[in-house]
Amino acid sequence: GENVEQHPSTLSVQEGDSAVIKCTYSDSASNYFPWYKQELGKGPQLIIDSRSNVGEKKDQRIAVTLNKTAKHFSLHITETQPEDSAVYFCAASKDYGQNFVFGPGTRLSVLP
Amino acid sequence: KAGVTQTPRYLIKTRGQQVTLSCSPISGHRSVSWYQQTPGQGLQFLFEYFSETQRNKGNFPGRFSGRQFSNSRSEMNVSTLELGDSALYLCASGPQETQYFGPGTRLLVL
């Protein structure tokens, strides 16, 4: 079955710096890759996603890149702010309606 | 628009007991998915319901079951609780691309 790895497990950056979180997946049939942000005491919140036909997608300070050949995808956050501090999860799934396999998460701390 | 609500928010049970958790999706959403979140195993998919039918199922034992009602509200049940079932149980509402998660039910099994 699908296996998703995520690095780093923890990441501390200074406010204003960029943060990059990387994920790799094992199943070449996966074609949907969402990213979630989970704040303390809350459920995960979808922040951005990408599909296999899109190499890069950007939404304000957040961007995702996907390399299907290498089977890895990344989340880039620019101009980080303290409110970006949270646990971030990547996930992968094959088809619409199929269950996600999540990465283990990255705890991002943005230091003021 | 009201978000996903889950009840109860916290629950303490003992081994061998059973538990039922409830999820009310966002109005108009017909799909409800359930996830288990633990420090050791992370986020794991349990099952998904759509229009009262289980559409997809994760790799959990038969002690974990669920159902969905005609108003899209969903319940999940865990029978014969084990210590390892202690976790945050999350419900997500909506289609895959726009899933909204509830705050979860934190279950502690003693």
Side-chain angles (χ1 to χ4, degrees):
Chain A
E2 174 68 278
N3 180 51
V4 177
E5 296 185 353
Q6 185 172 346
H7 299 280
S9 56
T10 60
L11 179 59
S12 292
V13 299
Q14 290 294 137
E15 183 177 358
D17 287 350
S18 295
V20 181
I21 301 170
K22 298 180 179 180
C23 290
T24 61
Y25 60 99
S26 60
D27 191 338
S28 56
S30 290
N31 59 12
Y32 178 61
F33 308 94
W35 287 88
Y36 287 86
K37 173 185 180 182
Q38 186 173 25
E39 296 173 316
L40 198 61
K42 297 183 180 180
Q45 175 191 5
L46 177 67
I47 55 173
I48 196 168
D49 60 13
S50 64
R51 289 203 171 272
S52 59
N53 59 344
V54 177
E56 181 175 337
K57 183 175 177 180
K58 199 170 182 181
D59 182 10
Q60 299 182 353
R61 297 186 296 109
I62 294 174
V64 290
T65 58
L66 171 64
N67 184 325
K68 282 224 78 178
T69 303
K71 289 190 280 188
H72 66 70
F73 55 113
S74 302
L75 175 71
H76 303 252
I77 306 174
T78 59
E79 301 172 21
T80 54
Q81 301 166 3
E83 52 265 37
D84 294 330
S85 296
V87 179
Y88 290 81
F89 294 94
C90 61
S93 73
K94 289 183 191 179
D95 298 302
Y96 178 82
Q98 297 299 305
N99 53 292
F100 295 141
V101 176
F102 285 87
T106 295
R107 183 174 298 279
L108 173 65
S109 299
V110 179
L111 309 174
Chain B
K1 205 174 195 181
V4 180
T5 58
Q6 292 188 245
T7 57
R9 292 293 311 277
Y10 303 93
L11 204 50
I12 300 176
K13 292 285 187 179
T14 56
R15 277 181 300 174
Q17 287 187 311
Q18 74 162 15
V19 66
T20 299
L21 313 181
S22 179
C23 171
S24 292
I26 291 171
S27 177
H29 285 186
R30 294 161 64 187
S31 172
V32 173
S33 299
W34 288 90
Y35 295 82
Q36 181 195 64
Q37 186 174 29
T38 61
Q41 299 298 317
L43 267 164
Q44 293 184 287
F45 173 79
L46 280 156
F47 29 65
E48 180 203 7
Y49 285 86
F50 181 84
S51 293
E52 303 179 64
T53 301
Q54 188 179 87
R55 186 161 68 174
N56 203 2
K57 189 177 188 304
N59 190 26
F60 276 80
R63 298 185 299 108
F64 293 81
S65 62
R67 59 177 175 168
Q68 186 179 32
F69 302 95
S70 58
N71 62 357
S72 293
R73 190 177 70 84
S74 177
E75 289 181 347
M76 68 162 281
N77 183 276
V78 188
S79 62
T80 320
L81 284 166
E82 301 176 0
L83 296 178
D85 296 334
S86 294
L88 180 67
Y89 290 89
L90 292 158
C91 161
S93 162
Q96 187 186 57
E97 286 106 338
T98 55
Q99 277 194 341
Y100 294 89
F101 281 82
T105 294
R106 186 164 296 281
L107 171 65
L108 177 61
V109 182
L110 301 175

